[in-house]
Amino acid sequence: MATYAIGDIQGCFSALQCLLERCHFDPARDRLWFVGDLVNRGPQSLETLRFVRDLGDAAVTVLGNHDLYLLMVAAQAVPKRGRDDTLDPVLQAPDRDELLDWLRQQPLCHREGAYCVVHAGLLPAWSADQARALAREVETELAGAGWQHFLQTLWGDEPAAWQDRLAGTARHRVIVNAMTRMRFCSPEGEMEFRSKGELSDAPSGYLPWFDVPGRRSLDGETVLVTGHWSALGLYLRPDLLALDSGCLWGGALTALRLDDRQVFQVECGEGGCIAR
């Protein structure tokens, strides 16, 4: 039995199939951990959703910002942003409701053994166990009957920092924004959402979230498994496995076998995929 953590797919289903062949993935024996952003901008979001859902217990996926965006569009909480969206096949599918119901019941954060899987990152004030508890607050709302109303309140950049006394919409928004959108934050934990570039592009006064001094999830035991930051690329160190290697942008789709940290990649592009 092997467990593979896989970077952002964003509807690049053909690349995912190539990657799983490269890994010799067997759903009867192995497990897949997806770091979120299953959908959008790539050409096969519908096929990706159906495939991951049908894997059942062989797969775990956490929610990414594009997955939440799909749910928000479906709930009419936000309008579709523009021509780079590729969500219509999902929204028009005969099994649309079943797929959306499955998606909204997926976790925002997955904790197992030494690993904590989250799409973007954790604020410096949060331990991995605290993050899991906070994620559960959002997951309860998304899985409930009032999920559409909940999503009406979720969009926005403020507040940009965590405080324990936060409640309601403000509390949920910080949790979601940190776990699905964050790249840079200040030493005090204030998030900055405009910058999407490389580490050297950090705005003045901000750091990559994982380099903030005193980060509580840097405890010598926890390994964070993330995606979201394609400009960062594949970025591996003892406490962090960042797996978004930019498949959507012509880079690679990455799987990392957790058992021995072996990396598997396929190159992505219009011509198909090439095993590395």
Side-chain angles (χ1 to χ4, degrees):
M1 174 179 174
T3 299
Y4 300 90
I6 297 181
D8 302 36
I9 300 167
Q10 292 199 245
C12 296
F13 181 65
S14 295
L16 174 61
Q17 294 300 101
C18 289
L19 182 61
L20 296 183
E21 289 179 12
R22 174 85 174 92
C23 297
H24 303 292
F25 168 69
D26 180 350
R29 179 192 65 205
D30 302 326
R31 297 180 71 208
L32 302 178
W33 290 359
F34 295 98
V35 299
D37 277 4
L38 297 180
V39 301
N40 205 21
R41 295 184 175 170
Q44 295 173 295
S45 292
L46 177 59
E47 291 84 352
T48 303
L49 278 181
R50 286 172 172 164
F51 175 77
V52 177
R53 177 199 60 184
D54 291 347
L55 286 171
D57 293 340
V60 170
T61 184
V62 296
L63 293 170
N65 53 305
H66 282 277
D67 306 316
L68 284 171
Y69 172 62
L70 168 59
L71 292 171
M72 288 179 180
V73 171
Q76 299 183 331
V78 297
K80 285 195 292 184
R81 282 189 295 244
R83 59 188 179 188
D84 61 343
D85 286 340
T86 58
L87 298 177
D88 282 347
V90 177
L91 296 171
Q92 297 168 7
D95 54 346
R96 158 201 161 119
D97 290 345
E98 292 88 347
L99 290 169
L100 295 177
D101 284 346
W102 171 81
L103 186 63
R104 67 185 176 87
Q105 294 179 64
Q106 302 314 299
L108 197 62
C109 172
H110 176 69
R111 188 87 164 96
E112 186 170 330
Y115 295 100
C116 179
V117 187
V118 65
H119 180 62
L122 301 185
L123 283 168
W126 297 343
S127 68
D129 287 338
Q130 181 183 6
R132 179 67 205 109
L134 293 173
R136 193 174 293 112
E137 297 179 22
V138 173
E139 293 160 10
T140 298
E141 298 290 341
L142 282 173
W147 68 277
Q148 292 173 306
H149 174 73
F150 173 69
L151 289 174
Q152 301 285 336
T153 69
L154 204 55
W155 189 260
D157 294 346
E158 298 293 336
W162 175 254
Q163 297 179 11
D164 288 337
R165 67 174 181 270
L166 288 175
T169 296
R171 183 180 181 91
H172 294 145
R173 192 177 288 165
V174 172
I175 295 168
V176 167
N177 283 344
M179 294 189 187
T180 68
R181 297 179 60 204
M182 178 176 61
R183 294 181 180 90
F184 297 103
C185 69
S186 72
E188 296 75 31
E190 180 180 343
M191 294 177 281
E192 195 275 346
F193 298 114
R194 294 181 300 276
S195 303
K196 299 181 180 181
E198 300 177 3
L199 297 182
S200 58
D201 297 323
S204 178
Y206 292 85
L207 299 165
W209 65 267
F210 46 78
D211 282 338
V212 171
R215 172 169 62 87
R216 287 192 63 205
S217 54
L218 184 61
D219 56 11
E221 298 178 1
T222 302
V223 181
L224 295 176
V225 185
T226 68
H228 184 58
W229 199 341
S230 60
L232 181 64
L234 179 63
Y235 187 79
L236 307 178
R237 64 189 204 188
D239 64 300
L240 176 66
L241 309 174
L243 302 178
D244 185 0
S245 45
C247 179
L248 179 69
W249 310 110
L253 185 62
T254 297
L256 186 143
R257 189 165 59 201
L258 297 177
D259 312 80
D260 59 4
R261 301 293 174 91
Q262 183 172 346
V263 172
F264 301 84
Q265 290 187 313
V266 293
E267 296 179 4
C268 303
E270 293 182 1
C273 51
I274 303 169
R276 289 185 177 180

